[in-house]
Amino acid sequence: MRVRVCLLVGIVGGLLLAVSGCYKAGESTSKTATPKPATASGPCPTILLAQAQFIETTDPETGKTKLTPGPARLEILRDVGGEWTSEVIEDPQSNVFHKAVLFEDLEDPDAAPGILTIGANAAALKLWRQTDGKWNAETLWTTMFGGKQNRLRDFEIGDVTGDGKLDFAIVTHDQGVVAVLSRGETGWEVTEIDRKKKTFVHECELGDLDGNGVLEMYGTPSKPNKFDGTPQPGEIVVYRHTPEGFERGVVEQFPLRHVKEILVTDIDNSGPVLLASVEAELGERADAPPDAKRTLIKRYRFENGEYVGDVICTLPDHLCRFLNAGDVDGDGKPELIASTHKKGIWIARPTAGNWAVELIDADSGGFEHATVLADLDGDGVQEIYVAADDQQEVRRYRWNGTQFKRETLHPIDGRKITFGISAGKR
């Protein structure tokens, strides 16, 4: 039976978290998805897919089948000599990986490179390293927040304390915990800098918009996810490190909308800005503006001690979970790539007085629609890598001088949801 990802969306907020007790805590394990392992002697183009997977089970009493969450799943794709190989890491301690990135600890030159993951139920930050063909995980942080859900939802790496050393900035569900992990004398030390009950913090970004030389931490808290059409208010917040600790500020509040995706980038060569994908209104109201059911892409600058925002473009979908910026057409200028829920992948270019928005591919979508930019082929122009869960494919888009050419790299079966995608060389 082929079950498309779109049929699983309704159970993400319930089954994925509620039945975590079906999986007992144990040692993290790995398996190889294909019998042909990667054999390249040097680093190869690599794509990481952070996923949830659903397994069909049968009730022994009723004989009825249902889908239940399986172990958290990380698929590692490597281009070895022109052929994409696949390897899978599974973690039975969690039922979803929300993000995975290649990681090399530059502060410890003797440490082997690995892969960082964040998971849910258990909420854990883990560093995976491969020894003798087997993946083993070191848990850097795991805890219980005291709510119904324990999800590490996003993290970023950078110096947010101003001490010249890297930190992990982490945001969570459902107690609105925001934490910073800093390296101490005996290991990683955790500082909880914010907490609010019944709050989902969807995303974090780091950037120095105020120009003081220290990265700020931006987050997107909201009320818990809604599927009944009622409003889901949210805000964009900022945390700055001071001699007394972290102080919290508000970039903007949204009484009828919320934000999941944010991005700090220099999109028009005028300095770093914060871009936000402001999701469409969920409720109905008589005085709703024409763009109430469209996603707004807002840009924020820090001017004279405050954040000033403007709408640079709108997208014809109710949500957009991934924003990326980079030069994808070889003109030497960055473009904005926005991946919407059901209305495809879009490119936006800053022009004099406005933004030019064009559709790259209408036949691409997913509940997350995970997307990343990377120059894996080494030609100096970034490619677009997409986990199109609705179409059940990992795809690559390359500019051929006149348009983007789409290639299928690897299948995604319909019982998986891809929450994150990253790329690099391994």
Side-chain angles (χ1 to χ4, degrees):
M1 179 178 66
R2 186 182 183 190
V3 183
R4 295 182 66 85
V5 169
C6 56
L7 299 179
L8 299 175
V9 169
I11 64 176
V12 171
L15 265 180
L16 185 59
L17 302 165
V19 303
S20 60
C22 294
Y23 297 93
K24 297 180 180 179
E27 293 299 320
S28 302
T29 62
S30 67
K31 68 179 184 181
T32 300
T34 62
K36 185 180 293 185
T39 58
S41 58
C44 295
T46 301
I47 299 171
L48 303 181
L49 304 176
Q51 297 178 322
Q53 62 179 326
F54 298 84
I55 300 171
E56 188 174 289
T57 60
T58 302
D59 188 313
E61 296 182 359
T62 65
K64 294 182 178 180
T65 61
K66 62 178 181 179
L67 293 176
T68 58
R73 185 178 193 272
L74 170 63
E75 186 160 14
I76 306 168
L77 305 178
R78 298 182 73 216
D79 183 358
V80 182
E83 180 178 357
W84 287 92
T85 66
S86 171
E87 186 177 10
V88 173
I89 295 174
E90 290 187 339
D91 186 355
Q93 293 180 337
S94 298
N95 54 31
V96 59
F97 284 132
H98 280 129
K99 188 173 183 177
V101 296
L102 298 172
F103 177 71
E104 185 174 357
D105 192 347
L106 299 180
E107 296 176 9
D108 185 359
D110 296 328
I115 298 174
L116 284 169
T117 63
I118 51 171
N121 288 350
L125 171 68
K126 295 186 177 183
L127 176 57
W128 300 79
R129 291 189 173 102
Q130 193 174 33
T131 305
D132 297 328
K134 182 179 180 180
W135 288 95
N136 298 290
E138 175 189 359
T139 300
L140 304 184
W141 181 48
T142 184
T143 189
M144 300 285 287
F145 302 121
K148 294 181 179 180
Q149 304 172 11
N150 290 281
R151 294 177 120 189
L152 301 188
R153 189 58 184 88
D154 192 24
F155 75 97
E156 294 292 336
I157 305 172
D159 179 15
V160 296
T161 56
D163 62 357
K165 299 180 180 180
L166 67 83
D167 306 297
F168 295 119
I170 302 177
V171 297
T172 74
H173 296 177
D174 66 349
Q175 296 297 292
V177 174
V178 179
V180 173
L181 274 67
S182 301
R183 197 190 302 272
E185 294 183 358
T186 60
W188 292 98
E189 299 175 352
V190 182
T191 302
E192 185 178 307
I193 64 175
D194 204 358
R195 176 186 285 255
K196 186 177 182 181
K197 292 182 178 180
K198 297 181 180 180
T199 298
F200 284 12
V201 189
H202 305 277
E203 178 91 359
C204 69
E205 276 284 310
L206 307 182
D208 182 18
L209 269 67
D210 61 14
N212 70 348
V214 180
L215 298 174
E216 305 98 59
M217 179 179 175
Y218 296 89
T220 57
S222 79
K223 295 294 185 181
N225 289 340
K226 296 284 189 178
F227 298 100
D228 59 3
T230 59
Q232 183 184 350
E235 58 185 344
I236 305 173
V237 298
V238 58
Y239 303 92
R240 288 185 175 84
H241 190 262
T242 71
E244 292 74 33
F246 286 91
E247 63 178 19
R248 184 183 191 272
V250 176
V251 177
E252 187 173 3
Q253 294 179 322
F254 303 92
L256 298 175
R257 298 175 181 251
H258 71 284
V259 175
K260 289 188 174 74
E261 172 68 0
I262 52 177
L263 174 68
V264 174
T265 186
D266 184 356
I267 193 64
D268 55 7
N269 296 318
S270 63
V273 296
L274 175 69
L275 300 179
S277 172
V278 186
E279 299 193 356
E281 295 183 17
L282 297 178
E284 301 289 343
R285 58 189 178 104
D287 59 345
D291 62 6
K293 297 305 177 185
R294 296 173 66 91
T295 292
L296 311 178
I297 305 300
K298 294 200 69 173
R299 173 182 55 190
Y300 298 90
R301 292 187 173 92
F302 190 76
E303 299 177 353
N304 301 318
E306 62 181 8
Y307 290 92
V308 178
D310 64 320
V311 176
I312 61 173
C313 63
T314 66
L315 300 172
D317 205 339
H318 69 288
L319 64 89
C320 170
R321 190 63 181 84
F322 276 82
L323 296 175
N324 289 273
D327 180 13
V328 295
D329 60 9
D331 65 353
K333 302 175 183 179
E335 293 84 37
L336 178 65
I337 304 300
S339 300
T340 63
H341 181 206
K342 294 290 186 181
K343 300 296 185 179
I345 304 169
W346 299 77
I347 184 170
R349 298 178 174 90
T351 62
N354 58 16
W355 284 65
V357 181
E358 299 178 21
L359 182 64
I360 292 177
D361 189 0
D363 184 31
S364 187
F367 183 64
E368 295 291 319
H369 208 180
T371 305
V372 69
L373 309 184
D375 179 19
L376 297 186
D377 61 14
D379 66 352
V381 179
Q382 292 183 305
E383 308 93 57
I384 306 169
Y385 294 89
V386 180
D389 282 344
D390 284 357
Q391 290 73 30
Q392 301 186 26
E393 292 179 344
V394 178
R395 294 169 168 175
R396 174 173 59 194
Y397 296 82
R398 289 194 279 196
W399 182 253
N400 64 9
T402 58
Q403 62 184 354
F404 289 97
K405 179 182 178 181
R406 187 180 78 192
E407 305 165 84
T408 298
L409 304 183
H410 191 71
I412 303 174
D413 74 56
R415 290 195 176 96
K416 296 177 179 65
I417 296 178
T418 307
F419 281 86
I421 183 172
S422 64
K425 295 288 185 73
R426 179 187 174 276

